[in-house]
Amino acid sequence: MKVRGFSPGRTLFARLLLSFLAVILVTIVAISAATSQLFANYYYSAKERELARKGQEMARLIESYGTGSGSTLSPTLLASLASFADAQVLVVDREGVAWGASPGMIGMMRHGYGGGPRPAFRLDAAETERLQRGEVLTGRGYDPRLERTVISAAVPFQGPDGQVAGALLLFAPVADLAATVTTVRRISLYAAGFSVVLAILLGYLLSRSLSRPLQEMGMASLAMAAGDYSQRVTVSGPAEVEQLATSMNHLAANLDQTVGALAREKKKLAGILAHMTEGVIAVDRVNRVILSNESACSILRLTGTDDAGLLAAAPDLADLLAGVLAEGRPHSAELEPGRGEGIIRATAAPFLDEQGRVEGAVAVIRDVTEQRRVEAMRREFVANVSHELRTPLTSLQGVLEAIQDGMLEDPGERERYVALAHRETLRLRRLIDDLLDLSRLQHGKASWEINAIDLADLSHRVAVQLRPYADKRQVGIDVEAPADLPPALGNEDRTAQVLTNLLENAIRFSPPGGRVTVTVADQEDRLLVQVADQGPGIPAEDLPHIWERFYRVEKSRARDFGGTGLGLAIARQIVEAQGGEVNVKSKPGEGSVFSFTIPAASGEEA
């Protein structure tokens, strides 16, 4: 997994390893250099002390000879002294002038010992002065007089008079000592190299032991940031790393539980919102939608609209929410959002943050279009019922008042008024019966037996019953029903009531000389009954309402035909209660075709 800003040189592992190696290398180099230098200094200092000690012994030997001049020092003695000291020997007088030398130092003198010219080697004034005081001189470095680097020691010796008679100079070449020091330094470098390799291995293991758990924790934290809270890290390494790993595992477990609980609560809330019949819309403090459900879009008659455009399509609702946000108190109103296709009831209330400030608002909306339509239909129904009851009651009241006032003394006139009262009473009785039937059907309280029905026979019987009424209106009736029709499944009396209602309406609205046709057809699992007339037809805008209670296409004319306005509503309820459907097709001037279906009876039911 790539992390922004990640660089291999910046990892903890690389930093620890490089830092560890740097410290080890600096330490080893410093120790090796210091040890080598100290060893060289110690080795050279020991050699100086050794030369000084041997020089003192050799000086006592010379003093025991009672030597007062260099003439008594034979080359053999000087060679023996050089071999004893493992160095070149040179003898000088108190003035610093050479008296004699070991074989390796003969080149420092022009003519050898005794009686010849003075040697070329001389001590400088400072060295001569110190030797005269009896000091032992030692040194290390390049000597220009010998033209090489040496370790030297100058030891004074006394003559017979007890005064410093001269000095014994010893010179040990550094080359032999340098080889030893170089060998020691080489051994030190080998040891340092081995130490570096061991340090690299140990540093790698140590850095890896620290960085691997941290890398694992880093990967786990990135996975948790991506939403995977099931990650757990291995608890290993130093105590601090183990504590960090344990804390991280505990954090991951708590986050898993907390986020899981929040996800479950969110899912519950989403499920509740999704299945609510009411619409829910929540906005923030600037009236921007932050939450909505599908019911809100459905109620607002919006499709394909996201949250951002929800209130833009419903400005009245947006104004309501804006008022709630501004005033900080609930508001409710009935609105006609969009294109005025419906009425909604909206109730909005603010919600507050921890400081009591308005954080946003939530609105619950409900479609009350059908409720208002039902209320309007109820009011219209009450008005229609009142009007329908008032008409026959008014006629009856007029007849009774005429009888009470003695105005009907003529037998013929009295008979006419009595017939009118009887007719209005029957009309009132029929209206009340229709209302009771419709009420029972709508409330599911009507019950009847279901059995097999011969629709062909039933259609002929209903036609025969209504033929006198048809003859009176000069309308013919035709029944087209095949003899091999399967039986239908329903209640015969109620089906006859439906067929009678449709046929009676067709006769009533057909012109004199017209014909009404009843057709029964088989449609596999159901039977279709159609009643076609040659009446004036029904306008298209009235067709959706033709099955409603008290609905009349031509209200002034329909009442003259004697109908109650409930027949089609009752027919629809009966057909639907038997598992069928009603339908109507009509065009002005071309007549109408009313139809209904009824389930066909199976073999066992038949």
Side-chain angles (χ1 to χ4, degrees), residues 327-470:
E327 300 178 15
R329 61 184 182 87
H331 282 224
S332 61
E334 286 193 358
L335 310 173
E336 294 185 8
R339 297 178 296 275
E341 297 176 352
I343 302 173
I344 65 170
R345 177 71 180 177
T347 301
F351 55 87
L352 311 177
D353 58 11
E354 293 79 1
Q355 288 75 34
R357 296 173 300 186
V358 176
E359 183 70 17
V362 59
V364 178
I365 59 176
R366 185 163 54 94
D367 191 348
V368 295
T369 305
E370 183 63 20
Q371 179 181 346
R372 295 294 177 265
R373 190 183 70 83
V374 170
E375 291 176 356
M377 288 178 60
R378 184 180 296 113
R379 290 191 296 269
E380 184 180 358
F381 175 74
V382 172
N384 288 334
V385 169
S386 301
H387 185 79
E388 294 294 337
L389 291 174
R390 181 179 181 181
T391 300
L393 287 175
T394 301
S395 299
L396 289 173
Q397 180 182 357
V399 172
L400 293 175
E401 288 177 351
I403 294 175
Q404 187 178 11
D405 293 340
M407 297 174 59
L408 302 178
E409 296 181 357
D410 181 24
E413 190 71 15
R414 185 168 56 249
E415 184 67 22
R416 188 171 65 84
Y417 273 90
V418 169
L420 175 62
H422 182 263
R423 186 169 62 253
E424 293 298 329
T425 303
L426 292 177
R427 179 180 176 185
L428 185 60
R429 173 68 179 271
R430 187 167 59 252
L431 176 61
I432 294 173
D433 289 342
D434 287 345
L435 288 172
L436 292 175
D437 283 346
L438 184 60
S439 177
R440 284 193 294 267
L441 288 169
Q442 288 181 335
H443 290 83
K445 295 182 180 180
S447 60
W448 50 72
E449 294 183 0
I450 301 298
N451 44 42
I453 306 172
D454 186 350
L455 280 182
D457 179 66
L458 181 62
S459 299
H460 285 289
R461 284 190 281 119
V462 171
V464 170
Q465 292 174 3
L466 292 177
R467 196 170 298 280
Y469 178 65

Side-chain angles (χ1 to χ4, degrees), residues 216-558:
E216 185 178 353
M217 293 179 199
M219 299 294 288
S221 64
L222 291 175
M224 285 190 286
D228 182 7
Y229 301 102
S230 63
Q231 296 290 322
R232 298 295 183 272
V233 296
T234 304
V235 180
S236 62
E240 293 82 358
V241 177
E242 288 185 357
Q243 183 178 3
L244 179 60
T246 302
S247 301
M248 189 165 186
N249 288 338
H250 184 64
L251 173 64
N254 288 343
L255 282 176
D256 193 14
Q257 294 178 358
T258 303
V259 174
L262 290 175
R264 288 190 294 272
E265 292 300 322
K266 183 179 180 181
K267 188 175 181 180
K268 290 179 184 178
L269 178 60
I272 293 173
L273 290 176
H275 294 88
M276 285 181 63
T277 56
E278 292 83 2
V280 177
I281 301 174
V283 297
D284 58 13
R285 65 180 63 186
V286 295
N287 208 12
R288 183 174 55 240
V289 177
I290 57 176
L291 177 68
S292 66
N293 61 354
E294 293 183 3
S295 297
C297 294
S298 177
I299 292 173
L300 293 174
R301 275 76 171 176
L302 300 176
T303 56
T305 303
D306 56 7
D307 287 345
L310 194 60
L311 292 183
D316 292 344
L317 182 59
D319 293 341
L320 178 68
L321 288 168
V324 172
L325 293 173
E327 300 178 15
R329 61 184 182 87
H331 282 224
S332 61
E334 286 193 358
L335 310 173
E336 294 185 8
R339 297 178 296 275
E341 297 176 352
I343 302 173
I344 65 170
R345 177 71 180 177
T347 301
F351 55 87
L352 311 177
D353 58 11
E354 293 79 1
Q355 288 75 34
R357 296 173 300 186
V358 176
E359 183 70 17
V362 59
V364 178
I365 59 176
R366 185 163 54 94
D367 191 348
V368 295
T369 305
E370 183 63 20
Q371 179 181 346
R372 295 294 177 265
R373 190 183 70 83
V374 170
E375 291 176 356
M377 288 178 60
R378 184 180 296 113
R379 290 191 296 269
E380 184 180 358
F381 175 74
V382 172
N384 288 334
V385 169
S386 301
H387 185 79
E388 294 294 337
L389 291 174
R390 181 179 181 181
T391 300
L393 287 175
T394 301
S395 299
L396 289 173
Q397 180 182 357
V399 172
L400 293 175
E401 288 177 351
I403 294 175
Q404 187 178 11
D405 293 340
M407 297 174 59
L408 302 178
E409 296 181 357
D410 181 24
E413 190 71 15
R414 185 168 56 249
E415 184 67 22
R416 188 171 65 84
Y417 273 90
V418 169
L420 175 62
H422 182 263
R423 186 169 62 253
E424 293 298 329
T425 303
L426 292 177
R427 179 180 176 185
L428 185 60
R429 173 68 179 271
R430 187 167 59 252
L431 176 61
I432 294 173
D433 289 342
D434 287 345
L435 288 172
L436 292 175
D437 283 346
L438 184 60
S439 177
R440 284 193 294 267
L441 288 169
Q442 288 181 335
H443 290 83
K445 295 182 180 180
S447 60
W448 50 72
E449 294 183 0
I450 301 298
N451 44 42
I453 306 172
D454 186 350
L455 280 182
D457 179 66
L458 181 62
S459 299
H460 285 289
R461 284 190 281 119
V462 171
V464 170
Q465 292 174 3
L466 292 177
R467 196 170 298 280
Y469 178 65
D471 293 342
K472 181 179 179 181
R473 300 191 66 87
Q474 300 177 8
V475 176
I477 300 176
D478 297 325
V479 178
E480 298 177 359
D484 57 349
L485 279 173
L489 185 63
N491 182 270
E492 185 172 346
D493 291 339
R494 290 295 183 177
T495 305
Q497 180 180 353
V498 174
L499 188 55
T500 300
N501 182 278
L502 296 180
L503 188 55
E504 187 177 21
N505 284 345
I507 296 171
R508 181 182 302 119
F509 289 98
S510 292
R515 302 198 67 81
V516 175
T517 304
V518 180
T519 305
V520 184
D522 181 13
Q523 291 187 334
E524 296 183 357
D525 59 342
R526 59 186 58 231
L527 298 177
L528 173 66
V529 180
Q530 293 181 324
V531 178
D533 61 47
Q534 297 176 345
I538 303 172
E541 62 272 14
D542 292 319
L543 286 176
H545 309 287
I546 199 68
W547 305 98
E548 295 177 3
R549 297 166 295 184
F550 294 110
Y551 189 85
R552 292 183 173 90
V553 177
E554 296 183 21
K555 297 176 175 57
S556 60
R557 290 184 55 201

Side-chain angles (χ1 to χ4, degrees), residues 125-205:
E127 292 173 337
T128 301
E129 183 180 357
R130 293 179 63 187
L131 286 173
Q132 290 176 357
R133 292 199 302 265
E135 296 181 14
V136 177
L137 304 179
T138 59
R140 178 176 74 249
Y142 180 78
D143 194 326
R145 294 166 299 190
L146 301 177
E147 297 180 353
R148 57 181 169 175
T149 302
V150 296
I151 296 176
S152 62
V155 180
F157 59 86
Q158 297 178 356
D161 57 0
Q163 299 296 322
V164 174
L168 184 65
L169 304 181
L170 300 137
F171 299 97
V174 178
D176 297 337
L177 299 177
T180 303
V181 173
T182 301
T183 301
V184 172
R185 287 179 175 173
R186 185 181 298 112
I187 295 173
S188 299
L189 288 176
Y190 290 155
F194 176 76
S195 300
V196 168
V197 173
L198 183 60
I200 290 175
L201 179 61
L202 294 177
Y204 176 82
L205 295 177

Side-chain angles (χ1 to χ4, degrees), residues 38-59:
L38 288 174
F39 174 78
N41 290 337
Y42 173 79
Y43 193 67
Y44 289 136
S45 297
K47 189 64 176 177
E48 290 176 3
R49 290 192 299 272
E50 182 182 3
L51 283 177
R53 180 180 57 79
K54 290 183 177 181
Q56 290 174 343
E57 293 178 0
M58 294 165 60

